[in-house]
Amino acid sequence: MCEGRRLGCAAGDAAAADVDVVTTGGRRRIPAQSSVLASASPVLGSILERRLRKDRDSGKPGRSVVRIRGVTDDAAAAFVRLLYAGRCGDGEEEDMDKHAVLVLVLAHAYQVPWLKRACEGAIGARLTADSAVDVLQLAALCDAPRLHLRCARLLAKEFAAVERTEAWRFLQENDPWQELQLLQGLHEADMRRRKWRRKRAEQRVYVELSEAMDCLDHICTEGCTEVGPAGRAPAPAPCARYATCRGLQLLIRHFSQCHRKSCARCQRMWQLLRLHSAICDHPDSCNTPLCMRFKQKEQEKAGDDGDKWGLLVKKVKTARVFSSLANRKQMSPSSQC
């Protein structure tokens, strides 16, 4: 079967082809239709327009010639087949498995975005520690950000294995500047991960403080198992946040009985009462002890830690809003359907 029929030129008719794609050294000629190639690639479209106009003006007989250089004959043929297919389906898996790297280079050079993304996925799926350095450089040359990110993640995850590869040793000996850039990128990525983890840990603290404020309101208003408002028996059944509520009840009982001025647990309770007063919107009717007193004290003076304290209050308020929205979404009828 001729190459043109296998590519599917004009429903299998190679006679409909008006150009020949010639591979490196002219060893292979692939019949193709200029309209198909031009619609698939703007670069090929520009080349074909100039070539066809030149051949018409010169009266040259036969089909025009477009050359694809720098890759193997099989890779060039696979590139043309994929342009004709217009996608990377089951029938094109063999071409992608064998020639994904060279087809990526051609897709970048001839500006075929969909084929470029498909090659990035095919190469990334087979990425290993041995090939990570070479593929990373290829991704940089071909402006393939998805593939570059995948390589960078593999380098960060398996750097010890990458260091033992021949590609890394070659990079150290021949391109120390590139090695420095890679190491700097890994360091920056590690710093971003640490910063993200610190923020997550801080967010968990704000959420825990928000839950503690809710439990404090619950204990001082309704009571819970062991501690409750004066003149009212606490509720015998545990509440939904009993783990937090139980710890707060133990802290309140200790606070009511301890007389040491330097007690760390009592200091923690004072801070919780102060935080409650800062976020309380109804101090006049609030049942929490010292709420109004702390509110007046905060209004009268600004302490040395005013900025830090104000930031803490703001973060806890934000955490309460998000927690309330999340609980409301979970309990809404649409979320239960």
Side-chain angles (χ1 to χ4, degrees):
M1 181 182 292
C2 72
E3 188 72 25
R5 290 184 180 276
R6 194 158 63 90
L7 289 173
C9 298
D13 189 2
D18 56 349
V19 295
D20 281 337
V21 178
V22 179
T23 59
T24 302
R27 292 187 297 270
R28 192 169 184 178
R29 302 175 74 90
I30 306 171
Q33 293 172 272
S34 59
S35 59
V36 175
L37 299 182
S39 63
S41 164
V43 176
L44 282 175
S46 178
I47 295 173
L48 286 166
E49 183 180 0
R50 293 195 304 269
R51 175 63 63 182
L52 292 171
R53 185 188 306 115
K54 181 178 179 181
D55 291 344
R56 282 195 303 267
D57 293 343
S58 63
K60 183 179 178 180
R63 291 195 290 250
S64 300
V65 172
V66 178
R67 300 185 183 276
I68 294 181
R69 304 179 185 274
V71 298
T72 63
D73 296 351
D74 292 340
F79 176 64
V80 176
R81 282 195 295 271
L82 289 166
L83 291 184
Y84 261 84
R87 61 184 179 86
C88 290
D90 296 337
E92 292 76 30
E93 287 183 356
E94 183 179 355
D95 286 333
M96 294 301 293
D97 290 340
K98 292 182 179 179
H99 310 293
V101 172
L102 295 178
V103 172
L104 172 63
V105 175
L106 293 175
H108 172 67
Y110 291 104
Q111 297 181 15
V112 188
W114 69 266
L115 184 54
K116 188 174 176 180
R117 289 192 297 270
C119 292
E120 288 185 70
I123 297 171
R126 300 192 300 270
L127 194 64
T128 62
D130 291 332
S131 62
V133 175
D134 293 332
V135 174
L136 184 71
Q137 294 175 314
L138 173 68
L141 292 173
C142 294
D143 190 22
R146 297 176 184 83
L147 186 58
H148 193 280
L149 178 61
R150 199 158 184 171
C151 292
R153 287 175 176 173
L154 181 64
L155 281 171
K157 184 179 179 180
E158 302 182 18
F159 184 67
V162 173
E163 276 189 310
R164 295 192 295 268
T165 62
E166 185 65 29
W168 183 262
R169 288 192 291 269
F170 180 85
L171 188 70
Q172 287 180 309
E173 296 172 1
N174 297 277
D175 197 349
W177 176 248
Q178 181 70 15
E179 178 197 7
L180 179 61
Q181 285 184 317
L182 288 177
L183 292 175
Q184 185 177 1
L186 292 174
H187 174 69
E188 291 175 354
D190 182 61
M191 294 300 293
R192 286 194 296 269
R193 281 194 299 272
R194 293 186 181 186
K195 184 178 179 180
W196 179 78
R197 288 170 183 167
R198 285 197 301 269
K199 286 188 175 181
R200 288 292 300 271
E202 291 175 2
Q203 189 62 32
R204 283 196 294 270
V205 171
Y206 300 140
V207 171
E208 290 173 0
L209 287 173
S210 173
E211 292 180 356
M213 295 299 99
D214 292 338
C215 288
L216 186 60
D217 287 338
H218 163 63
I219 291 171
C220 295
T221 304
E222 303 169 358
C224 185
T225 62
E226 298 179 14
V227 180
R232 180 176 177 178
C239 62
R241 296 176 177 175
Y242 185 68
T244 303
C245 201
R246 170 66 174 166
L248 195 56
Q249 289 182 69
L250 293 176
L251 187 61
I252 292 173
R253 293 181 63 182
H254 170 84
F255 181 73
S256 64
Q257 299 172 3
C258 182
H259 303 289
R260 292 182 298 161
K261 294 184 179 180
S262 59
C263 177
R265 297 183 67 185
C266 291
Q267 291 294 330
R268 191 177 304 122
M269 189 65 215
W270 281 114
Q271 291 173 350
L272 291 175
L273 291 172
R274 181 187 176 190
L275 180 60
H276 164 81
S277 175
I279 66 176
C280 183
D281 296 327
H282 307 286
D284 296 334
S285 58
C286 183
N287 293 327
T288 304
L290 306 176
C291 181
M292 177 59 75
R293 182 177 175 182
F294 271 118
K295 184 75 72 175
Q296 294 173 348
K297 193 172 181 180
E298 292 292 337
Q299 293 174 352
E300 290 173 0
K301 67 172 187 176
D304 297 335
D305 60 341
D307 293 339
K308 293 182 179 179
W309 181 257
L311 181 61
L312 174 64
V313 172
K314 182 179 179 181
K315 295 288 187 180
V316 174
K317 285 183 177 180
T318 303
R320 293 193 81 184
V321 171
F322 280 114
S323 178
S324 175
L325 291 174
N327 292 335
R328 190 178 303 173
K329 184 177 180 180
Q330 290 176 358
M331 298 184 65
S332 64
S334 59
S335 64
Q336 296 176 1
C337 293

